[in-house]
Amino acid sequence: MERKTKVLALVAHDNMKRDLAEWVDWNSRKLSRHHLVCTGTTGKMVEKTLRDHREEHEDEAEEKPELKITLLKSGPLGGDQQLGSLIADGKINALIFFWDPMSAQPHDVDVKALLRLATLYNVPTAINRSSADFLISSPLYEDDGYEPVVKDYKAYVERVLK
Ligand SMILES: O=C(CO)COP(=O)(O)O
């Protein structure tokens, strides 16, 4: 049976990009069959990592799906906000965001907003390598029937203002 393609968002701050590149390389088979959405600079790195991985494993007979990677703007230039908007529209199935706990970011408010929306919409989110390992190796990750429950905000939306 044909498995569903998921939309996975991958983002890393500069000091964490090497970590993400290693993680992507290690998980390239699992990632390659999904549509990846990345902030600009992260996306270029992810694409290069996946292409290099393919070149190194050219001799393997397995079928290699066409890479599908969407590059948003660079994070500080609005990429985090673009991703937040995709989350609000229900277009992202999981977020892998290696954010830097040791450096201030010029777009810190955008980073916070992105993480807030991922939480609000109950998007499975990994914020470091171990949580990313747990996420990608979870049986639920492979379960096409699993849909995260999004809270019903109807009462909030329809509240009467005095
Ligand atoms: O700043 C980022 C996330 O907050 C990531 O942006 P880049 O992928 O463009 O470096």
Side-chain angles (χ1 to χ4, degrees), residues 40-52:
T41 322
T42 305
K44 282 188 212 152
M45 183 207 72
V46 166
E47 188 162 17
K48 182 176 180 329
T49 305
L50 291 174
R51 294 208 184 283
D52 289 353

Side-chain angles (χ1 to χ4, degrees), residues 78-116:
D80 291 46
Q81 298 242 7
Q82 288 181 301
L83 190 49
S85 163
L86 291 172
I87 288 175
D89 285 339
K91 303 247 168 73
I92 300 292
N93 298 117
L95 169 65
I96 313 289
F97 185 1
F98 289 7
W99 59 271
D100 181 356
M102 291 298 280
S103 318
Q105 302 292 322
H107 58 309
D108 194 48
V109 287
D110 299 14
V111 172
K112 195 170 176 192
L114 173 56
L115 290 168
R116 179 180 172 273

